[in-house]
Amino acid sequence: MILFFLNSSCSNICRNSLTMSESLTEVPMTLSLDNYQVADLSLAPEGTKRIAWAKHHMPIMRSLIERLEKEQPFRGLTIGICLHVEAKTGVWLEALTKGGAKVVITGSPGSTQDETAAALVTDYGVHVFAKRDESFEEHIHYCKAVLQFNPDIISDNGADLHELIFTDPQFEHLQQHIIGATEETTTGANRLREDFKSNKWSTLIINDTMSKRIIENRFGVGSSVVDGIMRATNVMLHGKKVVVVGYGYCGSGTAQRLRGMGAHVTVVEINPLAKLEAHLEGFYTAQLADALPDADMVITITGRDDTLQQQHFELMRDKTIIANAGHFQREINVAALQKMSNKQQQIRPHVTAYDLGNKQLFLLSNANLVNLSAGDGNPIEIMDLGLALQTLSLERIALDAKSLTKTPQPVPYDIELKVAELSCEHWINH
Ligand SMILES: NC(=O)c1ccc[n+]([C@@H]2O[C@H](COP(=O)([O-])OP(=O)(O)OC[C@H]3O[C@@H](n4cnc5c(N)ncnc54)[C@H](O)[C@@H]3O)[C@@H](O)[C@H]2O)c1
């Protein structure tokens, strides 16, 4: 059942969006005359089933949905979101819409589940702008579509929505309009603090919580990256020489899970403290240039651009598998790899072979986050906790934004404790 209709505000959005698309010369796109854009609405029944499966394993979010539906904290508010459009996110959006919000969302390149995107439109009336195979330019275009709805609150992932509001004159008015925001990732937090010095509203950084860093980044990302690589390649990890570049929360979890699968893991780190920690955990540590020639597989998780570039591809041996699990595809300089290769071939759904003449290199998921692109992302229960943090943070902003200072800041500690308490209740004491 389609639950939302064209209305006057939609017509405005569509007109504006068409103007935007005309200005994008490299990516000709036309937004349809409805206020969503998904790959195929007929996929919705599959998405409904996916969301139902996730919800079954999300007791914390189920209890929040029940409460928010009664209390309606988001009534009258528009929430503009940039977060992976997949089934667990779908359960979160149910909480926000049932809590009274109008929700507009876009995802990230490579991670959108088209079935889920369709179901969110048909089942919850969410304005979804996301397609699995979208390019980065299309992603930015969809972020702009989200901002066309004049959100009162934004929930960001990598600070792309924040960036547009701070740098694109057409969204400058939102600097006075927005009452608060959340930011999901390490990368987004870095950008807000280092690049934008954001101080127009409070942005609660979900990644600043110890529960997100340890439970989601270490345990969740660690296991889902292994899962994504295995699904993409179907190769054995036992005995493989794997180089993990970046030993932060995500990298350390990934290195540990890979070791648990029998891989010989070498860690490359630029921060001496993190490098020391890896050493004391029993990992080999090395400079990138020394580690690459011997590697069967290289995984980047640094949150920084161009972690792997031309000189690194030159050092790799024949048949090296390359993957990224950090936020941006840009951690691996795919353009340089393309330039160096004389032939590229998609040899499995998530594997592209680059022929460099003297060797072949295999890139997974076009350098998008391998756990979300080739797999389903973090395990459901982990995101039950992570999305509960998001939900309670958004509720705090909706009800009491004035109690927060206008800077990027950690999630209030009482929220973190509440979510930990709920997790104990459902994971340990049930
Ligand atoms: N795949 C996912 O599902 C997922 C989930 C959460 C976060 N992330 C992303 O993963 C990335 C890492 O997150 P984190 O929480 O581990 O961050 P973090 O800051 O804890 O760790 C990053 C580490 O990389 C190191 N580093 C930076 N540049 C390097 C380089 N050129 N060579 C070697 N080491 C380098 C840093 O010193 C740091 O120790 C971020 O982009 C984050 O947004 C991905």
Side-chain angles (χ1 to χ4, degrees):
M1 180 175 51
I2 309 274
L3 284 183
F4 76 95
F5 309 94
L6 279 173
N7 55 27
S8 56
S9 67
C10 162
S11 318
N12 282 339
I13 288 151
C14 294
R15 270 200 297 278
N16 290 340
S17 303
L18 285 167
T19 314
M20 277 188 321
S21 66
E22 285 156 12
S23 69
L24 274 174
T25 47
E26 285 187 30
V27 188
M29 280 186 301
T30 350
L31 291 183
S32 70
L33 285 175
D34 303 302
N35 46 6
Y36 62 84
Q37 192 163 63
V38 298
D40 182 355
L41 217 49
S42 74
L43 298 173
E46 274 312 303
T48 304
K49 284 187 241 166
R50 271 181 183 257
I51 296 172
W53 172 255
K55 191 174 172 184
H56 182 69
H57 297 278
M58 296 176 83
I60 306 176
M61 285 307 302
R62 287 203 308 274
S63 67
L64 290 178
I65 288 169
E66 210 176 301
R67 179 173 71 73
L68 297 178
E69 194 167 11
K70 283 190 205 122
E71 297 178 5
Q72 295 287 295
F74 304 117
R75 189 198 295 261
L77 294 173
T78 298
I79 304 181
I81 299 174
C82 174
L83 196 68
H84 306 290
V85 177
E86 49 102 15
K88 291 152 286 191
T89 309
V91 178
W92 177 51
L93 299 196
E94 181 183 343
L96 301 184
T97 52
K98 288 199 169 153
K102 172 173 166 178
V103 174
V104 195
I105 187 169
T106 187
S108 289
S111 68
T112 296
Q113 291 170 357
D114 288 327
E115 306 86 340
T116 301
L120 286 170
V121 174
T122 60
D123 296 2
Y124 300 107
V126 171
H127 305 274
V128 182
F129 295 89
K131 289 182 188 175
R132 184 168 192 89
D133 62 359
E134 72 195 33
S135 64
F136 189 74
E137 287 77 9
E138 285 169 304
H139 165 64
I140 296 301
H141 184 72
Y142 289 156
C143 286
K144 290 181 178 178
V146 168
L147 295 179
Q148 296 278 341
F149 282 75
N150 288 327
D152 303 289
I153 298 176
I154 55 173
S155 182
D156 215 345
N157 183 36
D160 290 338
L161 295 176
H162 281 83
E163 178 175 15
L164 283 169
I165 297 169
F166 290 129
T167 60
D168 187 333
Q170 70 172 311
F171 300 116
E172 207 179 322
H173 65 283
L174 290 175
Q175 292 185 17
Q176 316 308 326
H177 177 76
I178 284 172
I179 61 171
T182 59
E183 163 57 51
E184 175 74 6
T185 64
T186 318
T187 293
N190 292 342
R191 297 179 79 206
L192 287 177
R193 289 176 169 135
E194 294 167 15
D195 300 345
F196 308 131
K197 314 234 179 309
S198 170
N199 64 359
K200 298 285 179 191
W201 55 76
S202 17
T203 302
L204 299 183
I205 309 289
I206 306 299
N207 197 71
D208 278 355
T209 59
M210 286 318 285
S211 37
K212 158 94 163 67
R213 287 180 178 179
I214 295 174
I215 298 169
E216 185 182 324
N217 292 7
R218 183 158 295 170
F219 293 104
V221 175
S223 53
S224 63
V225 167
V226 169
D227 172 53
I229 289 171
M230 291 185 73
R231 289 204 219 182
T233 61
N234 194 217
V235 302
M236 180 173 80
L237 291 172
H238 300 271
K240 288 275 185 310
K241 292 178 186 161
V242 183
V243 173
V244 174
V245 191
Y247 193 80
Y249 288 96
C250 296
S252 59
T254 300
Q256 283 164 16
R257 299 287 88 75
L258 285 163
R259 179 163 62 184
M261 295 297 293
H264 301 282
V265 180
T266 299
V267 168
V268 173
E269 240 306 334
I270 52 170
N271 178 320
L273 274 177
K275 184 173 179 172
L276 194 58
E277 190 190 343
H279 171 73
L280 295 178
E281 281 288 351
F283 291 104
Y284 305 110
T285 56
Q287 299 292 328
L288 187 53
D290 296 329
L292 290 177
D294 201 27
D296 297 309
M297 195 178 287
V298 184
I299 303 165
T300 55
I301 324 185
T302 64
R304 301 292 173 179
D305 289 3
D306 292 333
T307 299
L308 291 181
Q309 41 192 302
Q310 181 172 343
Q311 67 265 33
H312 304 122
F313 304 128
E314 281 166 0
L315 289 170
M316 291 176 191
R317 66 180 177 189
D318 188 27
K319 311 259 182 291
T320 303
I321 293 171
I322 310 167
N324 172 46
H327 181 72
F328 282 121
Q329 187 195 32
R330 299 195 295 262
E331 285 197 26
I332 297 174
N333 191 328
V334 181
L337 187 55
Q338 280 166 350
K339 217 165 151 192
M340 291 166 76
S341 68
N342 45 40
K343 192 173 152 211
Q344 296 155 33
Q345 202 187 352
Q346 190 78 35
I347 52 174
R348 283 173 61 87
H350 292 283
V351 184
T352 309
Y354 287 82
D355 195 332
L356 274 61
N358 58 344
K359 64 187 172 193
Q360 262 191 324
L361 299 179
F362 300 127
L363 179 65
L364 305 191
S365 299
N366 198 27
N368 290 310
L369 295 91
V370 70
N371 57 334
L372 278 139
S373 188
D376 283 290
N378 291 330
I380 298 172
E381 293 86 343
I382 300 247
M383 292 314 294
D384 193 21
L385 179 150
L387 293 166
L389 281 170
Q390 276 280 9
T391 309
L392 296 184
S393 297
L394 290 172
E395 186 182 26
R396 181 65 51 88
I397 291 163
L399 299 179
D400 197 14
K402 288 200 176 70
S403 69
L404 306 163
T405 52
K406 292 188 172 179
T407 52
Q409 63 197 279
V411 170
Y413 191 52
D414 64 295
I415 292 181
E416 189 169 5
L417 277 185
K418 179 71 193 163
V419 173
E421 194 183 292
L422 287 168
S423 305
C424 287
E425 202 178 293
H426 292 289
W427 293 0
I428 304 172
N429 307 333
H430 70 287

